Amino acid sequence: MGIKRVGILTGGGDCPGLNSVIYGIMLKAFDAGIECVGILKGWKGFVENLTIPLDIAEHDDLHTVGGTLLYTSRTNPFKGVASKEERAKELAKKFEELNIDALIAIGGDDTLSVADAMHKYAGAKVVGCPKTIDNDLAGTHYTFGFWSAVQLASNAMDNLTTTARSHQRVFIVEIMGRDAGFLTMYSGLSAGADIILIPETPFDLEKDVINVLKERVNAGYKYHIIATSEGAYPNNDSLKKDFKTISKEIIEKLPKDTYGNPLLAKLNISQIIVDELNLRKDLKATFQQNKVEFECRSVVLGHTMRAGPPNSFDRILGLRFGLAAMNLVLEGIFGKMVSLQGNKIKTFPLAEGVKKKYITAENDKMELRDLLVKVRYLSKQK
Ligand code: F6P
């Protein structure tokens, strides 16, 4: 049976470029004479039959608009079920009810793992598109949304520098990304942050923050920007030795979302660091010896990082992913996700592609980060 109607859904956190993918799918579908059906609110709409018709004539330049016109949610249709396989088979039957022949799911690891299970257990005709500002999916060099978010965070830190300079302050800027440090690392390097803390390298408050601030003040610096991932945390020794305001138990007891991910932003690590630094008399004394008042503030960038229109890179990547996903549907290739490898669009098995990736020790950004911190104050010393 040929494909006549394709369902499209967007799940998980919104991000710039979702509409670009939808538009890419719609362009190719229109040309191939295939109807697109929008499934609203991610898996919630799939389960509850919430759909809208998608007529390309009504959506000129949709790829330039941020967010998703299909709405999104973090609904997990596998939550609390006894058998994943049975649930996947039930879900696959929804294709008939929704009157769709294939489904393109656009989302991160949580959303795409549902699509993968439907394909694996029930042979459902699904294709995935990797989305997340966090860029933490193994199957693609970049997810769309990432570079727009990097730019937003980098701009925010560039701009904060003038306030930091005017007040001679320490700003601790908290950046999204869950347990992956890509956003913080890339935006931190781009803005020239003075310290960059990421989850992949648990930090030592004394060595990585306090001593660096002391060295910097002694070398003549009067303001400082610290970029920290929302998921950055101290190593166990430092947690025990340096922290008065939090403990391991507090980190472990964080609430979780419907997919079981800890809600890291609830910890508010930037404020915790501010509180800890404020307790350090030795740090304040070093600032005062250098005639600088110690004033430290936390800034949480939060959802501003997912807001607004996609940048050009994400518009183009979104369009390319959309086109490639629709091509897979036309070729009858399912259970795959589209992926960027170098500058080529390729396919990747969903099951492999949804695995998480992290910044590894051999990544050149790690070296750049460490050089930025070290060389700055060392180069100023006589
Ligand atoms: O996964 C994308 C992301 O923006 C993470 O960086 C962040 O931790 C999370 O989503 C926030 O989710 P929500 O918008 O549901 O609070």
Side-chain angles (χ1 to χ4, degrees):
M1 190 193 66
I3 303 282
K4 294 197 180 68
R5 283 167 47 100
V6 172
I8 308 172
L9 67 77
T10 53
D14 77 321
C15 95
L18 281 164
N19 279 330
S20 317
V21 178
I22 297 170
Y23 200 56
I25 297 170
M26 285 164 78
L27 283 171
K28 184 68 191 177
F30 182 86
D31 196 50
I34 286 173
E35 202 181 317
C36 291
V37 179
I39 296 167
L40 303 179
K41 302 187 180 178
W43 293 115
K44 183 176 167 62
F46 186 82
V47 173
E48 296 177 11
N49 299 350
L50 310 174
T51 63
I52 52 163
L54 284 177
D55 178 357
I56 193 159
E58 288 171 15
H59 296 290
D60 280 347
D61 296 330
L62 181 62
H63 64 297
T64 65
V65 182
T68 166
L69 94 159
L70 297 179
Y71 311 117
T72 186
S73 74
R74 291 196 188 275
T75 308
N76 177 3
F78 290 123
K79 191 168 183 216
V81 298
S83 158
K84 207 169 171 184
E85 184 167 348
E86 286 314 308
R87 180 64 174 147
K89 286 179 180 158
E90 260 170 48
L91 288 172
K93 289 195 191 123
K94 295 290 298 183
F95 276 55
E96 232 170 84
E97 241 175 87
L98 292 163
N99 191 18
I100 55 171
D101 305 308
L103 174 71
I104 301 178
I106 312 169
D109 53 336
D110 294 330
T111 305
L112 297 188
S113 60
V114 176
D116 177 48
M118 279 167 61
H119 178 75
K120 180 170 149 201
Y121 295 120
K125 294 183 175 172
V126 290
V127 167
C129 271
K131 166 239 70 163
T132 167
I133 60 165
D134 303 344
N135 198 42
D136 59 351
L137 289 182
T140 185
H141 284 168
Y142 292 117
T143 49
F144 64 87
F146 173 66
W147 279 106
S148 300
V150 167
Q151 193 66 63
L152 284 166
S154 173
N155 291 349
M157 283 185 274
D158 280 352
N159 291 339
L160 273 172
T161 305
T162 60
T163 301
R165 189 188 298 130
S166 307
H167 288 267
Q168 301 194 334
R169 275 182 183 158
V170 181
F171 271 109
I172 307 193
V173 184
E174 186 171 320
I175 295 169
M176 277 190 169
R178 267 197 191 142
D179 56 346
F182 294 98
L183 277 170
T184 305
M185 181 65 108
Y186 282 63
S187 60
L189 287 177
S190 162
D194 304 306
I195 298 175
I196 299 174
L197 305 174
I198 60 170
E200 287 88 338
T201 50
F203 65 90
D204 184 298
L205 189 71
E206 185 81 32
K207 177 171 149 288
D208 298 323
V209 182
I210 293 171
N211 288 352
V212 174
L213 285 174
K214 285 180 183 171
E215 297 274 17
R216 284 178 52 81
V217 177
N218 285 334
Y221 290 102
K222 301 207 178 328
Y223 62 91
H224 319 264
I225 304 280
I226 302 179
T228 179
S229 292
E230 62 182 358
Y233 56 92
N235 63 39
N236 283 337
D237 280 356
S238 178
L239 189 57
K240 268 197 230 134
K241 150 175 85 69
D242 304 321
F243 282 77
K244 309 265 177 302
T245 63
I246 52 157
S247 62
K248 205 162 180 229
E249 290 70 46
I250 293 181
I251 298 182
E252 280 164 1
K253 277 195 198 133
L254 281 178
K256 306 218 169 21
D257 72 11
T258 81
Y259 285 91
N261 304 307
L263 296 170
L264 298 169
K266 294 239 181 271
L267 190 63
N268 195 185
I269 188 69
S270 56
Q271 187 57 47
I272 290 167
I273 298 175
V274 169
D275 294 342
E276 294 295 340
L277 296 187
N278 270 321
L279 293 172
R280 292 294 298 248
K281 292 202 177 91
D282 54 332
L283 180 63
K284 289 185 178 168
T286 309
F287 272 62
Q288 270 153 14
Q289 278 152 25
N290 289 285
K291 304 200 173 15
V292 185
E293 284 299 313
F294 178 76
E295 223 196 322
C296 186
R297 297 294 173 91
S298 127
V299 176
V300 179
L301 297 186
H303 294 92
T304 61
M305 293 182 57
R306 302 207 308 237
N311 68 8
S312 301
F313 182 89
D314 286 331
R315 290 179 195 192
I316 307 288
L317 183 60
L319 285 171
R320 292 176 80 196
F321 274 177
L323 172 65
M326 194 58 218
N327 275 330
L328 287 182
V329 170
L330 291 172
E331 288 160 26
I333 299 173
F334 299 105
K336 307 271 186 204
M337 64 175 230
V338 295
S339 129
L340 181 71
Q341 303 289 330
N343 60 10
K344 299 253 183 323
I345 303 292
K346 304 239 163 132
T347 59
F348 215 82
L350 261 177
E352 288 301 304
V354 298
K355 289 188 180 154
K356 296 262 295 183
K357 88 175 168 210
Y358 297 97
I359 303 188
T360 49
E362 67 278 6
N363 190 304
D364 57 352
K365 278 97 198 169
M366 290 281 200
E367 187 178 353
L368 278 171
R369 170 185 75 166
D370 298 343
L371 286 172
L372 262 184
V373 172
K374 194 172 76 178
V375 172
R376 278 192 177 156
Y377 63 75
L378 279 182
S379 65
K380 291 248 193 290
Q381 282 161 10
K382 309 272 146 47

